[in-house]
Every structure is written in structure tokens, then in C-alpha cells.
Amino acid sequence: MSETNTVPVRKKRIYSGIQPSGMLTLGNYLGALKNWVAMQEEYDGIYGVMDLHAITVRQEPAKLRQQIYTTCALLLAIGLDPAKSILMVQSFVPAHAELAWILGCYTQFGELSRMTQFKDKSQKHPENINAGLFTYPALMAADILLYQADLVPVGADQKQHLEITRDIAVRMNNLYSGLFTVPDPYIPPAGARVMSLQDPAKKMSKSDENVNAWVAILDKPEDVMRKFKRAVTDSEARVCVGEGKDGVNNLIGIYAAVTGRTAQQIEAEFEGKGYGDFKTAVGEAVVETLRPVREAYDRLIADKGYLMSVYKEGSERAARLAARTLAKVRKKVGFVLEDK
Ligand code: ATP
Ligand code: LTN
């Protein structure tokens, strides 16, 4: 009997990142992090703590360093498994900065000027509209293209950055064939844009000064409940998706993302019930989702040695993968080669 020759299929590769710029929110969790974990079996995942990106906004050094540790601990607490995925720190792999410079020379001023994140952050920090904030997308493109990623799981706000990454990849491939894999975004069907609980026209953001507007992944259960009970809704008192019902739409979206139910099932569940019952149910479901994360986090943050070993080893593995792409790029653009 002849043996069938099975050729191992290369798993598709994922790259994604998060900035260590503060306490991570329920928006970060539902829009991005939850999917990183869900996808780690099927894909070959590399996940970064993006400290180079974080300094596009002024950070306090001691606080930033602490946030890099807490972000790493949180990523492990939500279930990222270093045996399955790579966890890296962006500044540990200098290839990111090097490729960002090269890609920046193939990115147009006009393209960067159209980025809504640049416009938003310039408005928010008028005293510090720095060059890094402007060229941010070239660094993000470098993060992704260095690893020849097929898929990038992000929240809906990052769609424009994925589009410019694809444009840069296609442009470089047209000039120097076969250089980069052109990545696709993965934006989840529920939870891709979690809105502020106080102003549901705005994205939930960790930098919002009103603490009732956002839920941190590490918030205590009583704080989570309080924030949901105070969430802004409307005067209609009907739990259903609708125009002009941004607050309720947002709560339905959050409930759908944490329970896996559809909007129709949720509307049926709360038929004839008021917003009080609904808000309590959403709060409780979020508390139960976050409880195991908080417990695991408390254990992990106490063991700094372990944390450091994980991101150091992950960054070394990432650096070896990144070096291959960078060598190819250096050769194609015409730099002199080390061995010739
Ligand atoms: P900052 O406000 O400091 O720019 P951020 O939370 O927007 O921070 P990151 O921490 O880098 O930015 O975001 C990590 C991931 O979380 C990204 O994929 C982003 O799309 C996603 N994300 C952020 N906020 C939300 C939200 N409100 N809803 C859904 N996804 C979100
Ligand atoms: N800009 C992203 C964070 C980020 C990222 C990346 C996401 C930096 N580099 C590479 C995916 C892939 C944000 O969420 N603000």
C-alpha cells in the first residue's frame, strides 16, 4: 500500500498590535483582543505591544514602562498562549523602525494627510502635532508587512490604516515584484466599534476624561455595574435596534459580543421589559466575561520575571522572521549587500 504524501499546509499568518497607552478598555477587548485569542489555534499569530506608536502622544516614562508590563500581562490573561502565538514588544525589534523609514519614502504626503486618526489626534493634542503622529501609518504598515501577514484583526477605527498598508504593499510590489503579502483586515461582526457609555456618538476610548464613559478590562464588578446602570439611552424605553437610538444600539452590540446572541434574539429576550433590566443584564454579562481575565491578570502581574521572559523570547523569534523580509527589501531597493 502506498502512503499518501501529505504536504504540510502553511498556516495563514496574523499580525496585530495594541498601544500600551493606558488601561485597556472593553472596546479594545471586544474589537480586537478577543479575536486574537479566538484565532490563535487556526492561525500563526504574532501580537505586538506597540511602544513606538505610543510615544506619538507624550507619555510619562515610568508610567509607560509600567504599562508595557501591564499590557503584556493582560494579553496573557485574556488567553494568548506563548506556546501558540508570539508576543513581542515593538521597540525590541529594530527592523520595525528601519522598514518604517523605507516605507515612508514610498508613502505620499497627501495620503498621510487624509488619515482621520491623524486629524483626530492633532485636534486632541494641538500642542504636540509631531512628525511621528503624521507618519504613524508607515510604521504600522512596516509592523504588518515585515511578517508577511495575511490577516490583521482590528476594530473598525483601524480600517483606513489597513487600506493605506495595502496601498503601500501593492505599490512596492509593482516596483519590486513579490516583495510583500497584501494583508486583509479582519473586523469582527459584533464589537468592532464599542461606543462611549456617556456619549454614544463617540468611540469608547481609554483617554476619555469621564471615567463613566468607558469600562476598563480590569474594572471591579461594582464599577462595571455602576457604569452600565448610568449608560445614556433614550426616552423610548424599548430594547430594539433603531435610528436615533445610539445608546441602546451600543448596549445591544456589547451584549451581542459577550453572549454570542443576535440582535433579534436580544430584542425578543427584552420584549416588554424596561431599560433598567436590560442595563443590569448587560452589566452582569460583561462582569462574567471579564472576571476570569482579572483573576488571571492578578497572578501574572505578580511574576515580572515570567512576563519578561515571555516578551523577550517572543521578540527574539519575531526579530528572526522580520530579518528575512528586511534583507529582501534592502536588496530590492538597491542597498549594498553585506556579503557582496
Ligand atoms: P488610543 O486612544 O490611545 O489611540 P486605542 O484604544 O484607539 O488607543 P489601541 O490601544 O492601539 O488604540 O487599539 C488596539 C485595538 O483596539 C485596535 O485594533 C482598535 O481598533 C481596537 N479598539 C480601540 N477602541 C475600540 C472601540 N471603542 N471599539 C472597538 N475596537 C476598539
Ligand atoms: N494603530 C493601531 C495599533 C497598531 C497596530 C499595528 C494594529 C500599531 N501597529 C499593526 C494592527 C497591526 C491602533 O489600534 N491604534
Side-chain angles (χ1 to χ4, degrees):
M1 267 224 277
S2 69
E3 268 182 45
T4 42
N5 258 342
T6 49
V7 183
V9 201
R10 178 174 95 79
K11 279 188 183 175
K12 285 202 168 182
R13 177 163 296 157
I14 287 184
Y15 189 91
S16 197
I18 186 150
Q19 301 179 74
S21 48
M23 291 294 285
L24 303 193
T25 70
L26 183 65
N28 296 131
Y29 182 68
L30 298 179
L33 306 181
K34 185 172 166 239
N35 302 306
W36 297 8
V37 178
M39 292 165 120
Q40 70 181 343
E41 303 291 336
E42 200 183 328
Y43 295 87
D44 176 10
I46 308 171
Y47 300 109
V49 175
M50 313 318 265
D51 50 355
L52 298 178
H53 276 116
I55 62 164
T56 55
V57 169
R58 194 69 72 231
Q59 306 284 344
E60 225 180 90
K63 218 163 138 197
L64 177 62
R65 194 167 293 120
Q66 187 56 26
Q67 279 163 192
I68 296 171
Y69 295 130
T70 56
T71 306
C72 287
L74 204 54
L75 294 179
L76 296 175
I78 62 167
L80 271 196
D81 179 351
K84 292 180 187 146
S85 306
I86 292 180
L87 172 61
M88 58 155 315
V89 174
Q90 190 184 28
S91 67
F92 269 40
V93 184
H96 288 245
E98 191 173 344
L99 184 61
W101 174 260
I102 298 172
L103 297 186
C105 299
Y106 295 79
T107 307
Q108 300 302 303
F109 181 88
E111 291 180 291
L112 293 172
S113 311
R114 287 193 288 274
M115 295 292 117
T116 53
Q117 183 174 298
F118 172 68
K119 292 185 209 164
D120 291 349
K121 292 210 172 170
S122 305
Q123 246 179 24
K124 235 171 156 179
H125 308 279
E127 75 300 340
N128 184 23
I129 306 177
N130 61 75
L133 195 61
F134 188 64
T135 59
Y136 183 116
L139 176 59
M140 179 155 161
D143 301 333
I144 298 166
L145 301 181
L146 258 184
Y147 300 99
Q148 308 287 354
D150 301 286
L151 208 59
V152 184
V154 280
D157 62 305
Q158 293 301 310
K159 195 163 172 255
Q160 200 185 27
H161 284 161
L162 256 294
E163 277 158 13
I164 194 172
T165 299
R166 289 170 57 89
D167 290 344
I168 296 169
V170 169
R171 183 173 308 150
M172 298 281 287
N173 285 348
N174 286 339
L175 288 167
Y176 318 103
S177 71
L179 202 46
F180 295 126
T181 300
V182 181
D184 284 311
Y186 173 81
I187 297 172
R193 186 179 276 282
V194 177
M195 310 308 280
S196 154
L197 298 182
Q198 291 297 313
D199 176 2
K202 267 181 18 197
K203 169 182 116 152
M204 180 182 282
S205 162
K206 54 196 166 202
S207 47
D208 202 316
E209 279 151 27
N210 182 348
V211 290
N212 287 320
W214 55 284
V215 172
I217 300 179
L218 297 174
D219 267 350
K220 292 197 211 76
E222 57 269 30
D223 293 331
V224 175
M225 292 307 295
R226 189 193 70 242
K227 291 177 184 181
F228 277 105
K229 282 186 181 154
R230 289 196 187 164
V232 168
T233 47
D234 53 64
S235 54
E236 202 193 14
R238 256 191 80 207
V239 179
C240 63
V241 177
E243 230 174 276
K245 290 175 72 72
D246 290 351
V248 173
N249 294 345
N250 187 35
L251 293 178
I252 291 179
I254 293 172
Y255 196 56
V258 293
T259 60
R261 290 174 209 161
T262 63
Q264 286 89 331
Q265 287 168 330
I266 297 168
E267 288 172 358
E269 188 181 340
F270 292 95
E271 175 92 64
K273 292 190 186 148
Y275 286 158
D277 289 344
F278 177 50
K279 288 178 181 180
T280 303
V282 180
E284 282 170 355
V286 169
V287 165
E288 286 321 308
T289 303
L290 299 182
R291 188 188 303 284
V293 177
R294 230 190 44 246
E295 288 169 1
Y297 173 85
D298 288 341
R299 286 193 300 276
L300 285 154
I301 199 67
D303 192 351
K304 223 176 224 175
Y306 171 71
L307 277 181
M308 284 164 92
S309 71
V310 169
Y311 69 68
K312 248 190 97 199
E313 199 228 343
S315 302
E316 279 160 14
R317 283 169 64 198
R320 285 196 287 277
L321 296 170
R324 289 190 212 158
T325 301
L326 193 60
K328 205 160 123 187
V329 173
R330 292 174 58 94
K331 185 171 171 197
K332 294 257 188 181
V333 301
F335 295 164
V336 286
L337 306 174
E338 271 171 36
D339 53 357
K340 296 248 167 82

